[in-house]
Amino acid sequence: MERPVALVADEGLVDEVLHAAAVAGCEVERVVDVAALRGPWHGAPAVVLDEAAVVACEAEGFPRRAAVFVVGAGPPDPATWRRALALGAEQVLELPADHERLRAVLADAAEGGPAGDGRVLAVLGARGG
């Protein structure tokens, strides 16, 4: 099973992300640069980026994807918001204030989605002529 991946340079933010993951019972794959992020970008259940990583991903032309979360120590500037939305960011979290929201995101990622394609069978009773 794929693990969430994080590209976060600030050591304080790294500690917050790893702590939230530990509380959620989730292992996070930490990558050190955009080149290392390219491989897990599509398959990871969640991607956690800091503002510098958002800028680097945009510069490298990363495509939009679901389950991108941006973390920072304070509110991001408007340019970071635009870049984050272009990557598909679902939430921008201020740490440590949004620690519980990050924990919930990582817990959901650890649970994973449904395995494979499901089929639905419906049986309906009918009466009449």
Side-chain angles (χ1 to χ4, degrees), residues 6-15 17 30-31 48-50 53 71:
L7 176 53
V8 179
D10 179 90
E11 288 303 318
L13 291 175
V14 168
D15 289 344
V17 170
R30 185 172 174 214
V31 295
V48 180
L49 305 171
D50 63 6
V71 296

PDB file of all heavy atoms in Angstrom, residues 6-15 17 30-31 48-50 53 71:
ATOM      1  N   ALA A   6       5.609  13.511   1.791  1.00  0.00           N
ATOM      2  CA  ALA A   6       5.761  14.896   2.232  1.00  0.00           C
ATOM      3  C   ALA A   6       7.054  15.481   1.683  1.00  0.00           C
ATOM      4  O   ALA A   6       8.110  14.856   1.761  1.00  0.00           O
ATOM      5  CB  ALA A   6       5.766  14.981   3.752  1.00  0.00           C
ATOM      6  N   LEU A   7       6.945  16.676   1.125  1.00  0.00           N
ATOM      7  CA  LEU A   7       8.110  17.470   0.734  1.00  0.00           C
ATOM      8  C   LEU A   7       8.018  18.759   1.530  1.00  0.00           C
ATOM      9  O   LEU A   7       7.307  19.693   1.158  1.00  0.00           O
ATOM     10  CB  LEU A   7       8.127  17.741  -0.768  1.00  0.00           C
ATOM     11  CG  LEU A   7       9.262  18.647  -1.278  1.00  0.00           C
ATOM     12  CD1 LEU A   7      10.630  18.149  -0.833  1.00  0.00           C
ATOM     13  CD2 LEU A   7       9.202  18.781  -2.790  1.00  0.00           C
ATOM     14  N   VAL A   8       8.690  18.760   2.672  1.00  0.00           N
ATOM     15  CA  VAL A   8       8.665  19.886   3.602  1.00  0.00           C
ATOM     16  C   VAL A   8      10.095  20.134   4.051  1.00  0.00           C
ATOM     17  O   VAL A   8      10.742  19.235   4.581  1.00  0.00           O
ATOM     18  CB  VAL A   8       7.762  19.577   4.823  1.00  0.00           C
ATOM     19  CG1 VAL A   8       7.751  20.729   5.797  1.00  0.00           C
ATOM     20  CG2 VAL A   8       6.349  19.238   4.369  1.00  0.00           C
ATOM     21  N   ALA A   9      10.596  21.359   3.830  1.00  0.00           N
ATOM     22  CA  ALA A   9      11.987  21.671   4.146  1.00  0.00           C
ATOM     23  C   ALA A   9      12.170  22.208   5.568  1.00  0.00           C
ATOM     24  O   ALA A   9      13.146  21.886   6.235  1.00  0.00           O
ATOM     25  CB  ALA A   9      12.545  22.680   3.144  1.00  0.00           C
ATOM     26  N   ASP A  10      11.238  23.018   6.035  1.00  0.00           N
ATOM     27  CA  ASP A  10      11.358  23.645   7.354  1.00  0.00           C
ATOM     28  C   ASP A  10      11.288  22.574   8.444  1.00  0.00           C
ATOM     29  O   ASP A  10      10.314  21.825   8.535  1.00  0.00           O
ATOM     30  CB  ASP A  10      10.229  24.666   7.534  1.00  0.00           C
ATOM     31  CG  ASP A  10      10.283  25.342   8.877  1.00  0.00           C
ATOM     32  OD1 ASP A  10      10.948  26.396   8.995  1.00  0.00           O
ATOM     33  OD2 ASP A  10       9.648  24.815   9.827  1.00  0.00           O
ATOM     34  N   GLU A  11      12.333  22.501   9.270  1.00  0.00           N
ATOM     35  CA  GLU A  11      12.422  21.441  10.284  1.00  0.00           C
ATOM     36  C   GLU A  11      11.278  21.507  11.296  1.00  0.00           C
ATOM     37  O   GLU A  11      10.799  20.477  11.754  1.00  0.00           O
ATOM     38  CB  GLU A  11      13.779  21.475  10.990  1.00  0.00           C
ATOM     39  CG  GLU A  11      14.925  21.009  10.120  1.00  0.00           C
ATOM     40  CD  GLU A  11      14.727  19.589   9.575  1.00  0.00           C
ATOM     41  OE1 GLU A  11      14.267  18.690  10.313  1.00  0.00           O
ATOM     42  OE2 GLU A  11      15.029  19.370   8.392  1.00  0.00           O
ATOM     43  N   GLY A  12      10.828  22.708  11.652  1.00  0.00           N
ATOM     44  CA  GLY A  12       9.693  22.829  12.563  1.00  0.00           C
ATOM     45  C   GLY A  12       8.435  22.241  11.960  1.00  0.00           C
ATOM     46  O   GLY A  12       7.674  21.539  12.636  1.00  0.00           O
ATOM     47  N   LEU A  13       8.215  22.507  10.680  1.00  0.00           N
ATOM     48  CA  LEU A  13       7.044  21.945   9.997  1.00  0.00           C
ATOM     49  C   LEU A  13       7.183  20.444   9.808  1.00  0.00           C
ATOM     50  O   LEU A  13       6.204  19.708   9.918  1.00  0.00           O
ATOM     51  CB  LEU A  13       6.832  22.628   8.646  1.00  0.00           C
ATOM     52  CG  LEU A  13       6.385  24.090   8.692  1.00  0.00           C
ATOM     53  CD1 LEU A  13       6.330  24.662   7.284  1.00  0.00           C
ATOM     54  CD2 LEU A  13       5.050  24.238   9.391  1.00  0.00           C
ATOM     55  N   VAL A  14       8.394  19.980   9.533  1.00  0.00           N
ATOM     56  CA  VAL A  14       8.631  18.529   9.401  1.00  0.00           C
ATOM     57  C   VAL A  14       8.251  17.835  10.699  1.00  0.00           C
ATOM     58  O   VAL A  14       7.559  16.807  10.690  1.00  0.00           O
ATOM     59  CB  VAL A  14      10.101  18.230   9.035  1.00  0.00           C
ATOM     60  CG1 VAL A  14      10.407  16.751   9.183  1.00  0.00           C
ATOM     61  CG2 VAL A  14      10.412  18.689   7.638  1.00  0.00           C
ATOM     62  N   ASP A  15       8.675  18.402  11.828  1.00  0.00           N
ATOM     63  CA  ASP A  15       8.340  17.804  13.121  1.00  0.00           C
ATOM     64  C   ASP A  15       6.828  17.748  13.320  1.00  0.00           C
ATOM     65  O   ASP A  15       6.298  16.748  13.797  1.00  0.00           O
ATOM     66  CB  ASP A  15       8.988  18.591  14.265  1.00  0.00           C
ATOM     67  CG  ASP A  15      10.491  18.406  14.323  1.00  0.00           C
ATOM     68  OD1 ASP A  15      11.005  17.451  13.698  1.00  0.00           O
ATOM     69  OD2 ASP A  15      11.165  19.221  14.991  1.00  0.00           O
ATOM     70  N   VAL A  17       4.482  17.653  10.967  1.00  0.00           N
ATOM     71  CA  VAL A  17       3.908  16.659  10.040  1.00  0.00           C
ATOM     72  C   VAL A  17       4.166  15.246  10.555  1.00  0.00           C
ATOM     73  O   VAL A  17       3.253  14.414  10.582  1.00  0.00           O
ATOM     74  CB  VAL A  17       4.469  16.847   8.615  1.00  0.00           C
ATOM     75  CG1 VAL A  17       4.076  15.684   7.709  1.00  0.00           C
ATOM     76  CG2 VAL A  17       4.005  18.172   8.024  1.00  0.00           C
ATOM     77  N   ARG A  30       9.055  10.747   3.455  1.00  0.00           N
ATOM     78  CA  ARG A  30       9.589  12.098   3.315  1.00  0.00           C
ATOM     79  C   ARG A  30      10.593  12.119   2.174  1.00  0.00           C
ATOM     80  O   ARG A  30      11.513  11.307   2.138  1.00  0.00           O
ATOM     81  CB  ARG A  30      10.265  12.533   4.615  1.00  0.00           C
ATOM     82  CG  ARG A  30      10.726  13.943   4.563  1.00  0.00           C
ATOM     83  CD  ARG A  30      11.224  14.417   5.901  1.00  0.00           C
ATOM     84  NE  ARG A  30      11.778  15.748   5.733  1.00  0.00           N
ATOM     85  CZ  ARG A  30      12.813  16.212   6.404  1.00  0.00           C
ATOM     86  NH1 ARG A  30      13.393  15.455   7.326  1.00  0.00           N
ATOM     87  NH2 ARG A  30      13.271  17.418   6.179  1.00  0.00           N
ATOM     88  N   VAL A  31      10.382  13.034   1.226  1.00  0.00           N
ATOM     89  CA  VAL A  31      11.312  13.196   0.114  1.00  0.00           C
ATOM     90  C   VAL A  31      12.031  14.524   0.282  1.00  0.00           C
ATOM     91  O   VAL A  31      11.524  15.450   0.920  1.00  0.00           O
ATOM     92  CB  VAL A  31      10.595  13.121  -1.256  1.00  0.00           C
ATOM     93  CG1 VAL A  31      10.016  11.734  -1.476  1.00  0.00           C
ATOM     94  CG2 VAL A  31       9.521  14.168  -1.389  1.00  0.00           C
ATOM     95  N   VAL A  48       1.804  16.112   1.090  1.00  0.00           N
ATOM     96  CA  VAL A  48       1.923  17.266   1.974  1.00  0.00           C
ATOM     97  C   VAL A  48       3.102  18.101   1.495  1.00  0.00           C
ATOM     98  O   VAL A  48       4.221  17.587   1.364  1.00  0.00           O
ATOM     99  CB  VAL A  48       2.128  16.838   3.443  1.00  0.00           C
ATOM    100  CG1 VAL A  48       2.261  18.051   4.349  1.00  0.00           C
ATOM    101  CG2 VAL A  48       0.993  15.938   3.903  1.00  0.00           C
ATOM    102  N   LEU A  49       2.851  19.378   1.218  1.00  0.00           N
ATOM    103  CA  LEU A  49       3.879  20.285   0.707  1.00  0.00           C
ATOM    104  C   LEU A  49       3.960  21.534   1.566  1.00  0.00           C
ATOM    105  O   LEU A  49       2.942  21.985   2.097  1.00  0.00           O
ATOM    106  CB  LEU A  49       3.534  20.723  -0.725  1.00  0.00           C
ATOM    107  CG  LEU A  49       3.291  19.645  -1.773  1.00  0.00           C
ATOM    108  CD1 LEU A  49       2.763  20.272  -3.055  1.00  0.00           C
ATOM    109  CD2 LEU A  49       4.559  18.865  -2.036  1.00  0.00           C
ATOM    110  N   ASP A  50       5.152  22.112   1.661  1.00  0.00           N
ATOM    111  CA  ASP A  50       5.262  23.446   2.237  1.00  0.00           C
ATOM    112  C   ASP A  50       5.258  24.460   1.092  1.00  0.00           C
ATOM    113  O   ASP A  50       5.170  24.077  -0.083  1.00  0.00           O
ATOM    114  CB  ASP A  50       6.488  23.583   3.142  1.00  0.00           C
ATOM    115  CG  ASP A  50       7.813  23.407   2.422  1.00  0.00           C
ATOM    116  OD1 ASP A  50       7.831  23.286   1.174  1.00  0.00           O
ATOM    117  OD2 ASP A  50       8.850  23.396   3.107  1.00  0.00           O
ATOM    118  N   ALA A  53       7.913  24.018  -1.598  1.00  0.00           N
ATOM    119  CA  ALA A  53       7.644  22.848  -2.436  1.00  0.00           C
ATOM    120  C   ALA A  53       6.550  23.152  -3.460  1.00  0.00           C
ATOM    121  O   ALA A  53       6.614  22.682  -4.595  1.00  0.00           O
ATOM    122  CB  ALA A  53       7.248  21.661  -1.572  1.00  0.00           C
ATOM    123  N   VAL A  71       1.158  22.969   3.964  1.00  0.00           N
ATOM    124  CA  VAL A  71       1.358  23.354   5.355  1.00  0.00           C
ATOM    125  C   VAL A  71       2.290  24.551   5.433  1.00  0.00           C
ATOM    126  O   VAL A  71       3.169  24.723   4.587  1.00  0.00           O
ATOM    127  CB  VAL A  71       1.918  22.190   6.205  1.00  0.00           C
ATOM    128  CG1 VAL A  71       0.935  21.037   6.267  1.00  0.00           C
ATOM    129  CG2 VAL A  71       3.260  21.710   5.693  1.00  0.00           C
TER     130      VAL A  71
END
